Amino acid sequence: MKSVAFLSAVLVSVLSPVATAYNPSIKPTFSRRYLLQRTAIIGGSAVLAPLTQFPQSSLAKMADDIELIKSTCDLYKSALADKATFVADLAAENSSTKIPLQITAITFQNLAKVAHTVDDKLDADDFPFVAVEYAEHAGAARDFAKLAKLGRIGENGSAEVALAYAEKCVVELEEASVLLDTLCQALL
């Protein structure tokens, strides 16, 4: 950042003697030389302006996205630590059990350029495809969790229906957890 400010100061001082020796009492003449110098200064500052605004926010966003993936991966592991309890809680009447939130596809698209190969699991070029597969399993788990809650309602609703959907939800959560763990390893 300091070098860019220095370069723009050098540009102003070298290309515009009028700018460095500006006197408000002297009216500038609008000669061709003066106009060319002013054009060079304005053009030079327009070229250097994007350099002064280095995309720090995108690096911070990437770090936040990686941290989101790590924390979600930990949530999956903690939810699946005791599968039997999770299934029973999910199938229970008036259940307040929540499944981990799904990470959006845009997050993975933004991080695909920094992903690397994970030995025997993932090639860096396959990162977006594995992210899509994760999204399919996480979405299916979310759908089965909703069906488990709705499985007790209506004429055909029963505890067995809710339990069957809860078990299918856990299977999908396991698949999503494995894929998310692989994606997390590709980012670290």
Side-chain angles (χ1 to χ4, degrees), residues 79-80 82-93 95 97 148 152 159 162-171 173-174:
L80 294 171
D82 189 9
K83 295 174 194 167
T85 304
F86 185 78
V87 168
D89 289 345
L90 193 59
E93 206 169 331
S95 173
T97 304
R152 294 183 163 272
L163 191 63
Y165 282 129
E167 288 171 351
K168 289 180 182 180
C169 176
V170 168
V171 170
L173 280 176
E174 287 174 335

Side-chain angles (χ1 to χ4, degrees), residues 3 10 42 53 65 68 75 88 90 97 109 112 126 142 144 166:
S3 63
V10 168
I42 293 169
Q53 300 169 354
D65 289 345
L68 172 70
L75 287 174
L90 193 59
T97 304
Q109 288 173 350
D126 293 337
R142 184 184 64 240
F144 282 130

